[in-house]
Amino acid sequence: MKTQSIREEIDTARERGSLRQIVIPPCPELLVRLQKAMAEAEPDLNEVARIASADVAMSVTLLRTANSPLHLADGQPCSTVGQAMNRLGLRETAAILTSFLVKNAIPVNNPQLGRFWERSTKRAVAMDFIARQLPGLSPELAYTYGLFCHVGMPVLLQSVRGYGSTMIEAGARIDRPYIATENANHKTDHAVVGALVVRAWNMAPELMAAIRLHHDFISLGDGSIDAELHTLVAAGLVAEQLMRQHEGLDADADWKLHSQRALGWLQVGPEELEQWDEQLRPLLDYC
């Protein structure tokens, strides 16, 4: 399935199908500005600094990260946004700002999604790390994929009556995949709705398509699907497993069923995966 086909599927469902009832929160203006700035061949550092300084809480988040043990080392604490940006670098600064803006645009206040944004940030960090181990995969795209991967869940909670109960049922059932229960109850699922959010926010088409396919592990390697989408989906499954290992959780059903297919696509063996686990743990400790 090509990116264009997925976009057409999402647009059709939005116009006259199952997605008509979904309420998409507006994309934050500051995120629009940030995306525009980062899309330039040489991003305007002053514009990124203005964006970072436009919200006091966001500035505090940036400074807190720059002054965390992971970054402070033997340096002096940062006291300005500019100092924080210099220490973190432009790429990490943009990632932190993106996370802050998305979390505030799509709040989660439901016990069924406890720690949702904390885990989304961990997934994004894991995806960024994995992308740096693989040739040709953009760390920026991978990070954003990790952050937005399950964003359809809180949007469904806000838009669809009974979705909270569906989450409980889907998590408990062992006879069918999670999204199968979502579709049985609501004629859509969080992968489709997540893709809709990305589409509505005018983010990268590759991001939209990968989120739409992020539970379609059976299709890994299918020649009709763009290779980059396969890589994002396979890396996403690995990131989820590394997160679960960090949290002391057992492997989930997707990993048990599809890990060999995902690792085969990425050409990653058990020893390399173990090394990734060791190297990633300190990064996840500070999420």
Side-chain angles (χ1 to χ4, degrees):
M1 183 181 295
K2 299 291 186 181
T3 299
Q4 178 64 30
S5 300
I6 294 174
R7 181 163 50 235
E8 292 171 356
E9 172 201 29
I10 295 296
D11 289 347
T12 299
R14 183 61 166 165
E15 290 173 6
R16 56 179 182 271
S18 58
L19 300 182
R20 287 179 297 175
Q21 63 181 318
I22 304 300
V23 178
I24 303 299
C27 184
E29 179 184 352
L30 290 176
L31 183 57
V32 175
R33 285 174 56 187
L34 180 62
Q35 291 171 343
K36 183 178 179 181
M38 295 302 295
E40 298 293 333
E42 295 185 9
D44 184 345
L45 296 180
N46 290 327
E47 170 65 357
V48 177
R50 285 192 292 269
I51 294 167
S53 301
D55 183 289
V56 172
M58 186 160 61
S59 299
V60 169
T61 299
L62 194 67
L63 286 163
R64 184 185 303 121
T65 304
N67 289 327
S68 70
L70 187 63
H71 295 285
L72 186 58
D74 295 327
Q76 295 297 314
C78 296
S79 58
T80 69
V81 165
Q83 291 172 350
M85 288 179 59
N86 286 336
R87 175 169 292 169
L88 296 169
L90 180 60
R91 182 197 61 80
E92 187 167 355
T93 294
I96 293 166
L97 300 183
T98 298
S99 296
F100 179 92
L101 292 166
V102 174
K103 292 174 188 177
N104 283 272
I106 307 176
V108 177
N109 300 306
N110 188 288
Q112 296 304 321
L113 287 177
R115 299 174 56 240
F116 178 83
W117 285 119
E118 177 187 336
R119 298 198 81 249
S120 295
T121 301
K122 280 188 174 184
R123 186 181 300 105
V125 169
M127 284 293 296
D128 177 276
F129 171 85
I130 292 170
R132 293 177 182 282
Q133 319 308 312
L134 300 173
L137 181 59
S138 161
E140 291 78 14
L141 180 63
Y143 181 97
T144 310
Y145 171 87
L147 187 65
F148 277 84
C149 192
H150 292 306
V151 76
M153 290 182 174
V155 173
L156 278 165
L157 266 175
Q158 294 171 11
S159 301
V160 177
R161 180 174 299 181
Y163 182 71
S165 298
T166 293
M167 293 183 68
I168 296 173
E169 178 188 353
R173 296 189 70 144
I174 60 174
D175 60 322
R176 62 186 184 189
Y178 195 102
I179 61 173
T181 299
E182 291 178 317
N183 277 287
N185 292 357
H186 306 294
K187 296 184 173 59
T188 192
D189 58 64
H190 72 274
V192 174
V193 174
L196 173 63
V197 174
V198 171
R199 171 76 168 127
W201 286 16
N202 293 314
M203 303 183 79
E206 298 82 6
L207 178 65
M208 173 205 66
I211 289 175
R212 169 65 182 86
L213 297 172
H214 80 267
H215 279 293
D216 192 6
F217 303 111
I218 296 297
S219 297
L220 279 175
D222 186 329
S224 67
I225 300 175
D226 298 334
E228 185 176 37
L229 304 186
H230 287 310
T231 302
L232 279 169
V233 170
L237 183 60
V238 174
E240 189 72 30
Q241 172 62 11
L242 293 176
M243 282 172 53
R244 294 182 70 85
Q245 289 178 186
H246 179 261
E247 295 171 347
L249 301 175
D250 293 334
D252 63 12
D254 283 340
W255 181 256
K256 292 175 182 176
L257 289 172
H258 305 296
S259 59
Q260 293 306 310
R261 182 178 283 109
L263 293 172
W265 174 263
L266 298 175
Q267 298 185 342
V268 173
E271 291 184 3
E272 190 171 6
L273 188 63
E274 186 174 346
Q275 291 176 355
W276 288 6
D277 180 40
E278 293 177 0
Q279 293 167 2
L280 183 59
R281 283 177 181 271
L283 304 179
L284 296 182
D285 285 342
Y286 291 106
C287 290

